[in-house]
Structure formats: structure tokens, C-alpha cells
Amino acid sequence: MIPALLALLLNSALLTGNEFAVAAFIHPSLSRQDHRSNLSTIQRFAHLYGGVMPIWMAVTTALHILVCAIAWLYSPSAFPWLLAAALIWVIVIPFSLIFPVPLNNQVKEWDLNNLPSNWESIRSKWDLYNWLRVILLMSAFVLLSVGLKNYSADIVR
């Protein structure tokens, strides 16, 4: 159980921190002055994250569900917190697939010499959706942390 807890905590911390860094630092930096000149970099990030994030998010969600199931059996005080965190992760996946991922897929395919007329609007929508996802992930991380604290207290008893 301890390896699963550590893997979950590490995965969640890294993924949440990564999403926060993209929302708070990377995208704002690339969207400032002369936004158009940074679109090729944004496309590279879209390709990279488009390949990595589905696997990373799926593994993290699966770990949340596994740890939640174990807590249901062994830690009644941790279970509600871990269930809430797992449910947020289960929501984040379809939210991502419905909102930011389709926009990301559009950005990846743009011809930089012939951008759609609403390209800046698409980028702004993606930023908004990503911030909403970051808020969900941060909430899940707080719930996970409280759940793991309660789990460790139950184990010590």
C-alpha cells in the first residue's frame, strides 16, 4: 500500500504542478508580446503534451481509484477525502477531452502562415479551460493530502 500511496502523491504533485506552471508561467509568457511569433513553440508544446498527458492523467486517475478502494477497506476516515479526490480526477478526464484537448488539436494543425481569424480567441478559451482544470487538480490534491494524512493516522492506531 505504501508504494501506491507514494506513487499517487508524487504523480499528483508533479502533474498538478506541471499544469499550474503551464497556466501561470509558460502560456502567459508565450502569449505576451508578439504572440504570433511564439505559435510554433506553442504547437511544439501541444504535440508534446498531447502525447504525454493522456497517459500521465490516466495513470494518476487509476492510482486515485486504487488508493480510494484500499482506503474503503482499511481507513474509514480517509475514504471520503480520497473518494472526493478520485471523483475530481474522474471529472477532469472528460472535462479535458471535451474542452481543452479539441482546442489543442486545432492549434497543433494550424498553418502559421494562414491562421484562422479567431486564433486568438481559441488560445484565450484554451487558457480559461486550462485554469479551470488547474483549479480542479489543486482541489483534488488538497483532498488527497487530507485523505493521506487521515490514512496514516488510521494506520498508526
Side-chain angles (χ1 to χ4, degrees):
M1 176 59 180
I2 298 300
L5 291 174
L6 292 175
L8 175 58
L9 188 61
L10 181 61
N11 251 341
S12 296
L14 290 172
L15 201 147
T16 301
N18 175 72
E19 289 294 326
F20 176 77
V22 167
F25 305 113
I26 294 171
H27 270 252
S29 294
L30 294 174
S31 298
R32 286 199 181 107
Q33 302 167 348
D34 196 15
H35 183 183
R36 183 185 283 262
S37 70
N38 290 321
L39 286 177
S40 64
T41 302
I42 291 167
Q43 285 181 314
R44 278 187 232 124
F45 276 114
H47 281 283
L48 172 68
Y49 282 113
V52 171
M53 295 311 282
I55 297 164
W56 197 2
M57 287 185 145
V59 166
T60 305
T61 302
L63 284 170
H64 268 82
I65 292 167
L66 172 68
V67 167
C68 184
I70 292 168
W72 181 68
L73 296 171
Y74 299 108
S75 181
S77 68
F79 177 73
W81 300 97
L82 297 173
L83 176 63
L87 288 174
I88 289 173
W89 272 93
V90 167
I91 291 167
V92 163
I93 300 292
F95 174 85
S96 297
L97 293 172
I98 293 167
F99 296 105
V101 168
L103 297 176
N104 228 26
N105 290 338
Q106 287 179 44
V107 170
K108 287 192 302 191
E109 300 305 319
W110 284 346
D111 173 357
L112 299 181
N113 296 316
N114 188 23
L115 292 170
S117 60
N118 65 340
W119 73 271
E120 289 175 299
S121 169
I122 291 169
R123 296 283 303 125
S124 293
K125 273 188 200 173
W126 188 92
D127 286 334
L128 171 66
Y129 295 148
N130 193 52
W131 266 113
L132 292 173
R133 180 171 49 195
V134 167
I135 290 166
L136 288 169
L137 294 176
M138 291 173 108
S139 300
F141 188 76
V142 168
L143 293 165
L144 170 66
S145 298
V146 173
L148 293 180
K149 178 188 148 301
N150 287 351
Y151 185 88
S152 64
D154 285 348
I155 297 304
V156 171
R157 289 184 204 155

